[in-house]
Amino acid sequence: WVTFLDDDDEYLPSKIAAQAELARRTGAPLVVCGYDFIRPRRTRTRQVDQPVFAGDDILRRAHLGSPLLFHRRTEDLRFDPGLSAGEDMPYVLRLLRRHGQREIPCVPAPLVRVHAGTDGRSVHADK
């Protein structure tokens, strides 16, 4: 199994266990989770109202950034670290196509803290 963590984001302690359990229970090769989107003066909790994304909702409603993904490892499909921020969707679409997956189960709880507005600095860097 594979999951990704950007240097300016944080996993909550239960993230991997919750997604592994959802993948085991559903048999899905790719699952996502909810998250807290943290800006300098506010936080928004997202993707906690829908336990599965299917059809057009995969493109319109699902947030599929790399820190939210948990998927079965495949030897013939690798994440391109040269992608720019926000270019995770082509990778996700290749994963879905590779596995013939038509819906994406979601742990409807915030399991990742996604930090925005850090001016390109890691939130973990020494100040």
Side-chain angles (χ1 to χ4, degrees):
W1 291 90
V2 177
T3 187
F4 305 97
L5 179 60
D6 294 341
D7 70 345
D8 59 347
D9 299 330
E10 304 170 71
Y11 283 177
L12 296 181
S14 60
K15 191 251 193 214
I16 294 172
Q19 287 186 297
E21 171 57 22
L22 180 60
R24 184 201 60 75
R25 189 167 27 89
T26 62
L30 167 67
V31 300
V32 295
C33 64
Y35 65 102
D36 287 328
F37 186 68
I38 301 171
R39 305 241 0 179
R41 290 185 280 286
R42 66 177 174 222
T43 297
R44 297 285 187 259
T45 299
R46 296 182 171 170
Q47 200 152 273
V48 295
D49 60 344
Q50 195 162 340
V52 66
F53 295 96
D56 288 346
D57 279 349
I58 291 173
L59 297 174
R60 293 182 319 149
R61 296 195 67 224
H63 297 262
L64 303 170
S66 58
L68 311 177
L69 306 177
F70 183 85
H71 71 84
R72 186 174 294 135
R73 182 177 179 203
T74 58
E75 292 298 324
D76 61 334
L77 186 58
R78 301 287 182 170
F79 185 82
D80 180 359
L83 292 175
S84 298
E87 292 185 334
D88 302 325
M89 186 56 92
Y91 179 73
V92 171
L93 293 175
R94 287 193 312 271
L95 278 171
L96 294 173
R97 193 174 11 220
R98 165 70 172 75
H99 294 293
Q101 190 172 348
R102 297 190 179 276
E103 59 183 36
I104 304 173
C106 179
V107 177
L111 301 178
V112 178
R113 291 184 181 127
V114 174
H115 294 271
T118 58
D119 298 327
R121 298 182 312 260
S122 171
V123 297
H124 304 292
D126 293 334
K127 296 188 185 229

